[in-house]
Amino acid sequence: MGTFKDGFLWGGATAANQYEGAWNLDGKGESFSDHCTSGSLVSPKRITVNINDTDFYPSHEAVDFYHHYKEDIELAHQLGFKVFRMSIAWTRIYPTGLEEKPNEKGLLFYDRVFDELKKYNIEPLVTLSHYEMPYELIKRYNGWYSRELIDIFMKYVRTVFERYQNKVKYCLTFNEINVGTLPMGAALSLGTVRNYEGTLAGIVDDKQTRYQALHHQLIASALTVALAHDNYPQFKIGNMNISVTAYPHTCNPQDVLKCQEFNRIMNWMCSDVQVRGYYPQYALNYFQKEAIRIVKKDEDDDILKKGTVDFFTFSYYNSTTVSADKERQESLGNMTVGIKNPYLTASEWGWQIDPDGLRYILNEIYDRYQIPIMITENGLGAKDDLNSDNTVEDDYRIDYLRKHIRAMEQAVEDGVDLIGYTMWGWIDVVSASTGEMAKRYGLVYVRKYDDGTGDYARIKKKSFYWFQDFLKKNN
Ligand code: BGP
């Protein structure tokens, strides 16, 4: 094809809490996700204050990357991956977040993973915080609501940078940081759920707390970038945004305005801060309208200005439409609900499949920022059938990937500077939203099931061979 630039980073993405398991081994502490039970689309996962014998917590074993990392990295190599997106579990390095010294056994685990990747010339892409934080920090500080979290997080970042400075080049600060603009971000990313027990949707929303916590994350993100630029210039640091392409549901100007409002707060506010270095005026207006008063320190504006990211990364699964009419029918999607788009079909979980929406958002992002872009999550969650001869005929996934890669190609032809693509869940992992194994994204099937059974065997799906063949031609 030749459309993608030389050295394009093709690969796959994972996150520690959905992938590693070994939740309490070698000194690891309890993280937020270790307190989340399994669930499904019809029976939502729950957060529990204690870890109960009667509940099942999928992150505890996940798909056991902890003991399968060599096998998995060898599979990534067979696929032809050039990059491997993973996150570091904060609780492996600082079990409660509060220790003065890091946990050496946790550090050693990632040394081994990075060394294994190096063996195959696969570049790690490390997310510093992917939907998990020490649960102790939720109990003690109500998560990111407290400004103390910034220093506690920076201690962790300094440890990671110092230790892995010769092994890692690409880092992302917070996974899908803009999920903090949505009510469920309180639990997933901000940890402002002290003493809360119940479903994600059941949390009583408190915008004041949420945006204060988000401000602290934005400061921590900017300090991380500045630390890298000042002391580890070999690092490239990116943001990570959840980008949900949104269309006005009709050409009624009221719908168009409503859609603009959605896009500003949900899609652009965090990345405007992370790329441009300041809160845009529409965000300040929004805070005023909603009576949100963010407590800032004098130095915060300078910190944001200094800590702007080197490249833009985002997840893309589906698009949505926005209407000013509150009565319209809702459709599901990654973190957001919207109005059904009659021109699109949806996944079994109701996420509307829209490759053109990827081309559109890539152009929007590049027009706005003109910095290199990487797609760090994209894929199809589906129920896969494992046949008795250990095959999985996932043609639907091949179709999804083929169309989205075609859309990327078109965006590059449009002029977008796209530098990489890591498909989400290249190997089956626990679902973030529902906490189930049944929603699978992988090119590799993992024999692990929602009742906790399974032997963790790794089995190549049909899509594995398709992607392998694609990368042979495109690497
Ligand atoms: C993103 C998260 C991932 C991942 C993905 C798919 O929002 O960053 O962690 O899980 O969505 O979502 P789900 O697992 O809910 O299907």
Side-chain angles (χ1 to χ4, degrees):
M1 270 187 300
T3 306
F4 298 109
K5 54 162 63 170
D6 286 349
F8 190 89
L9 292 165
W10 291 104
T14 59
N17 77 84
Q18 294 164 260
Y19 188 29
E20 286 178 0
W23 73 292
N24 59 2
L25 291 190
D26 295 334
K28 181 181 171 299
E30 289 174 15
S31 74
F32 162 73
S33 40
D34 295 329
H35 284 250
C36 292
T37 71
S38 62
S40 69
L41 194 54
V42 285
S43 153
K45 74 177 199 183
R46 287 176 303 110
I47 306 163
T48 65
V49 171
N50 297 309
I51 293 184
N52 307 318
D53 292 343
T54 45
D55 281 311
F56 177 61
Y57 298 90
S59 71
H60 291 195
E61 283 95 33
V63 294
D64 201 27
F65 175 64
Y66 199 73
H67 297 108
H68 291 75
Y69 68 94
K70 287 194 179 173
E71 181 182 352
D72 288 1
I73 292 170
E74 143 81 344
L75 284 166
H77 166 65
Q78 282 184 34
L79 276 161
F81 282 4
K82 293 279 175 271
V83 62
F84 189 97
R85 179 173 176 229
M86 52 181 276
S87 67
I88 292 182
W90 186 348
T91 47
R92 272 195 209 291
I93 313 300
Y94 288 98
T96 65
L98 299 170
E99 295 75 8
E100 275 175 27
K101 287 209 168 115
N103 171 30
E104 180 58 27
K105 284 189 175 163
L107 287 166
L108 270 174
F109 171 64
Y110 296 107
D111 269 322
R112 289 191 201 106
V113 170
F114 296 142
D115 292 345
E116 199 65 18
L117 288 167
K118 176 89 185 148
K119 205 163 110 185
Y120 298 105
N121 274 324
I122 302 175
E123 199 70 60
L125 167 62
V126 173
T127 318
L128 291 164
S129 175
H130 190 131
Y131 289 169
E132 52 93 23
M133 63 189 299
Y135 195 72
E136 183 63 26
L137 301 180
I138 294 177
K139 285 209 279 204
R140 198 177 287 226
Y141 293 107
N142 200 20
W144 282 93
Y145 178 67
S146 299
R147 193 158 176 120
E148 279 91 338
L149 262 280
I150 298 175
D151 285 346
I152 296 171
F153 182 75
M154 291 313 296
K155 174 182 64 181
Y156 156 70
V157 173
R158 276 195 300 276
T159 301
V160 168
F161 279 6
E162 194 54 29
R163 176 77 169 219
Y164 305 123
Q165 55 181 306
N166 299 317
K167 300 190 178 185
V168 172
K169 185 167 156 203
Y170 297 101
C171 273
L172 309 177
T173 57
F174 291 91
N175 181 64
E176 297 187 337
I177 191 166
N178 56 325
V179 92
T181 66
L182 304 172
M184 70 164 63
L188 274 181
S189 65
L190 301 170
T192 52
V193 283
R194 179 159 52 189
N195 297 326
Y196 177 74
E197 181 125 356
T199 62
L200 294 185
I203 297 167
V204 177
D205 190 32
D206 171 3
K207 284 192 176 141
Q208 174 63 38
T209 303
R210 203 149 48 74
Y211 279 95
Q212 184 66 56
L214 183 58
H215 176 70
H216 294 149
Q217 278 195 341
L218 288 165
I219 294 291
S221 174
L223 285 170
T224 300
V225 178
L227 177 69
H229 288 173
D230 289 346
N231 298 315
Y232 309 94
Q234 69 276 30
F235 287 157
K236 295 259 176 272
I237 313 287
N239 68 329
M240 199 318 196
N241 211 50
I242 170 173
S243 294
V244 177
T245 300
Y247 309 115
H249 190 62
T250 71
C251 52
N252 180 336
Q254 289 300 315
D255 283 358
V256 178
L257 284 168
K258 198 77 195 164
C259 187
Q260 183 180 57
E261 197 181 304
F262 172 91
N263 274 321
R264 280 177 158 174
I265 303 303
M266 161 72 197
N267 279 329
W268 300 123
M269 188 187 81
C270 289
S271 55
D272 278 355
V273 176
Q274 291 182 298
V275 180
R276 293 173 169 163
Y278 57 91
Y279 282 95
Q281 186 59 43
Y282 65 77
L284 304 179
N285 296 350
Y286 175 77
F287 296 152
Q288 197 170 25
K289 190 177 110 213
E290 298 288 334
I292 298 165
R293 284 198 56 248
I294 296 183
V295 180
K296 288 185 185 172
K297 284 204 170 175
D298 291 346
E299 64 263 32
D300 285 4
D301 288 347
D302 286 339
I303 292 172
L304 293 180
K305 202 168 288 167
K306 195 174 167 217
T308 56
V309 293
D310 302 312
F311 62 110
F312 185 105
T313 93
F314 70 106
S315 64
Y316 178 80
Y317 292 91
N318 60 276
S319 64
T320 191
T321 76
V322 179
S323 165
D325 178 356
K326 291 204 176 96
E327 305 293 304
R328 305 297 307 216
Q329 191 187 1
E330 286 185 343
S331 81
L332 300 178
N334 193 13
M335 311 293 173
T336 56
V337 289
I339 319 293
K340 274 204 176 121
N341 185 330
Y343 301 100
L344 302 176
T345 56
S347 76
E348 291 161 282
W349 273 261
W351 297 15
Q352 303 189 104
I353 300 169
D354 182 10
D356 290 330
L358 177 57
R359 176 182 180 183
Y360 178 80
I361 197 84
L362 276 165
N363 274 286
E364 289 284 291
I365 295 166
Y366 196 65
D367 284 354
R368 198 170 184 107
Y369 302 128
Q370 289 98 40
I371 59 173
I373 301 177
M374 201 188 292
I375 299 164
T376 42
E377 285 185 30
N378 170 244
L380 178 70
K383 282 196 187 105
D384 290 333
D385 289 324
L386 180 64
N387 300 321
S388 52
D389 61 349
N390 265 343
T391 55
V392 179
E393 301 287 321
D394 56 343
D395 293 281
Y396 38 88
R397 182 165 294 109
I398 296 171
D399 186 57
Y400 182 100
L401 293 172
R402 183 187 282 128
K403 287 179 175 153
H404 283 78
I405 292 172
R406 174 72 193 126
M408 285 155 50
E409 209 179 10
Q410 290 169 321
V412 171
E413 283 159 9
D414 294 336
V416 172
D417 183 12
L418 187 63
I419 60 168
Y421 173 82
T422 56
M423 67 157 290
W424 173 252
W426 70 274
I427 179 164
D428 293 346
V429 294
V430 176
S431 155
S433 56
T434 62
E436 67 196 318
M437 275 307 303
K439 189 179 188 190
R440 295 171 182 273
Y441 286 83
L443 308 170
V444 176
Y445 188 95
V446 181
R447 269 202 318 236
K448 171 80 194 212
Y449 304 102
D450 284 320
D451 58 3
T453 63
D455 59 5
Y456 304 107
R458 275 59 174 150
I459 295 156
K460 295 170 187 172
K461 302 182 195 175
K462 189 171 176 182
S463 56
F464 182 99
Y465 299 101
W466 176 83
F467 207 67
Q468 186 180 46
D469 185 55
F470 171 82
L471 290 186
K472 262 192 202 130
K473 295 179 185 136
N474 287 279
N475 257 330

